[in-house]
Amino acid sequence: MATLQATFYGHTFDNPFMNASGVHCMDKTELDELAASASGSFVTKSATADSRDGNPEPRYINLELGSINSMGLPNLGLAYYLEDAIKRQAANPDTPFFLSVASYKGFDEYVSNMKHIQESDYTGLVELNLSCPNVPGKPQMAYDFEDTEKLLNEIFKFYTKPFGVKLPPYFDFMHFDKIADVLNKFDIKFVNCVNSVGNGLYIDEATDTVVIKPKGGFGGIGGEYIKPTALANVRALRQRLNPSIDIIGTGGILTGRDAYEHLLCGASMLQVGTQLHKEGLGVFERLNTELLAILEAKGYTSIADFKGKLATLD
C-alpha cells in the first residue's frame, strides 16, 4: 500500500500539500478551514509589521491558464498571526504549520519582525518571504544577493528558531549559483520556490484594457503558465543547496501529475495557490487521490522512492 507521507525538517506530514501564502489564509476562520481540510499542512498570510489593506481592486483575476495579481500584501499584521500561531501550537504541539512573515518597507522591517517572533513563545516553522515589494528603487530582496546575505547575517545574530525563505523565480544559471552560494552559508531549514513570475501583463480582448488596476495592469503570474519555471527552480536549487535544506515546490500545481513532477525535481512539500483559489479546499482531496494513483501505477510505496530522481538524457 502506497503512502503520501512527507518528511520535512524532522516532521512527518500525512501528505505534502499546503496552501500557498496569500490564498485562503487571511484570518483565523480560513486557517481553521485549512487545518480541517485534506492538506498536509498550511501556511499563514505573509504578515507585515502593521496591518495592510493592500492595493485597490480589481487586484486578482483568474485567467484561462492561471492568474494575475497585484495584491499589495493585504494582511492583518504580524501580531494577529503570531498570537494565533502561539495558540495553535499550544493546542496541537504535534501538528506543525508555517508562519509567513514579510516586509513592505525593506531591511529594517524584516529584522524587526523576526525579532518579534524570536521573543515570542512561537517555536515552529517560519517562512521568511524575500519575494515581496522592497523599498522604492530596489528589487525584491531575493533579487539582490548582497542585501539578502546582509539580511540573513543580521537575522542569525539573534534568531535561534527554525526558518526558511520564500524565493522569486530565477531565470539564469548564474543566478541559481549566486542565491545558492548565499543560502548555503546559513543554517536555514528550507526554501520555497517559487513565488509568482513578476510583472506580467494580461489584456482583455473585449475591452483592450488591462485586467487589474494596480501598477497599470502589471502583476504576478501564477498557475499553469509558470509550472516549467517553477520546476526549473526546484531542480536547480536542489542540485545546488546543502542536502540539509528542504525545498517546498510552488507553481502550476493543478493535478497529481504536476505534484509528482515537483517531487521528482526534489521538492519535499508542495504549495497550491491559483488552483486552490479557483477550486476551493476540495482541491487537496483531489490532488491526494491523483498523486496516490500515480505512485501505485508506478509501483512506488512512498515519495522517497522517486523524490529528486529526475532522469536526464545524458
Side-chain angles (χ1 to χ4, degrees), residues 99-302:
L99 175 68
S100 184
V101 62
S103 169
Y104 200 76
K105 299 176 182 178
F107 189 98
D108 290 343
E109 185 183 358
Y110 275 121
V111 173
S112 175
N113 286 343
M114 293 298 280
K115 283 184 176 178
H116 282 304
I117 300 172
Q118 174 65 30
E119 294 164 0
S120 77
D121 291 332
Y122 180 69
T123 58
L125 294 162
V126 169
E127 178 184 273
L128 181 64
N129 190 343
L130 299 182
S131 54
C132 352
N134 206 325
V135 293
K138 296 282 282 182
Q140 295 181 37
M141 175 63 76
Y143 281 148
D144 188 320
F145 304 110
E146 185 176 326
D147 274 5
T148 296
E149 183 169 355
K150 180 181 175 183
L151 175 63
L152 292 174
N153 267 317
E154 186 64 27
I155 290 172
F156 272 100
K157 289 178 182 178
F158 62 85
Y159 201 83
T160 61
K161 302 172 184 180
F163 80 97
V165 295
K166 184 172 184 177
L167 300 175
Y170 298 100
F171 303 96
D172 192 284
F173 283 116
M174 181 179 68
H175 296 151
F176 294 139
D177 292 340
K178 285 189 173 183
I179 191 61
D181 286 345
V182 170
L183 298 178
N184 282 334
K185 294 177 182 179
F186 300 96
D187 187 27
I188 65 168
K189 306 306 181 186
F190 66 91
V191 300
N192 180 358
C193 47
V194 295
N195 207 334
S196 58
V197 173
N199 293 323
L201 192 72
Y202 191 88
I203 298 172
D204 187 321
E205 64 181 35
T207 62
D208 288 349
T209 65
V210 298
V211 295
I212 58 174
K213 186 173 183 178
K215 296 171 61 176
F218 286 83
I221 302 297
E224 190 174 353
Y225 293 109
I226 75 165
K227 189 182 83 167
T229 297
L231 292 177
N233 276 259
V234 171
R235 172 70 165 174
L237 289 179
R238 182 65 286 160
Q239 292 174 318
R240 289 163 173 79
L241 291 174
N242 295 332
S244 60
I245 301 175
D246 279 319
I247 293 180
I248 300 175
T250 307
I253 298 177
L254 284 70
T255 68
R257 176 65 201 189
D258 299 325
Y260 177 82
E261 291 178 6
H262 270 270
L263 296 166
L264 195 64
C265 286
S268 296
M269 296 286 285
L270 307 169
Q271 291 187 358
V272 184
T274 295
Q275 196 60 26
L276 171 58
H277 189 278
K278 289 183 174 184
E279 190 173 334
L281 292 171
V283 69
F284 293 118
E285 185 173 357
R286 178 178 63 78
L287 289 173
N288 276 307
T289 299
E290 292 176 1
L291 180 58
L292 188 61
I294 292 172
L295 266 66
E296 292 174 343
K298 291 180 176 290
Y300 295 134
T301 59
S302 71

Side-chain angles (χ1 to χ4, degrees), residues 6-83:
T7 302
F8 185 93
Y9 181 58
H11 299 294
T12 300
F13 298 87
D14 288 342
N15 64 74
F17 295 107
M18 304 166 54
N19 65 304
S21 182
V23 184
H24 208 98
C25 56
M26 178 61 79
D27 57 24
K28 297 174 184 178
T29 298
E30 290 188 339
L31 292 170
D32 284 343
E33 291 169 348
L34 275 171
S37 76
S39 66
S41 187
F42 63 88
V43 60
T44 66
K45 185 76 178 70
S46 288
T48 50
D50 301 315
S51 62
R52 290 183 50 82
D53 292 331
N55 290 335
E57 302 277 3
R59 59 192 185 187
Y60 177 101
I61 297 292
N62 284 325
L63 308 176
E64 182 181 358
L65 299 179
S67 62
I68 184 170
N69 85 87
S70 179
M71 300 298 291
L73 277 174
N75 71 95
L76 300 176
L78 178 59
Y80 177 93
Y81 300 104
L82 186 54
E83 179 184 10

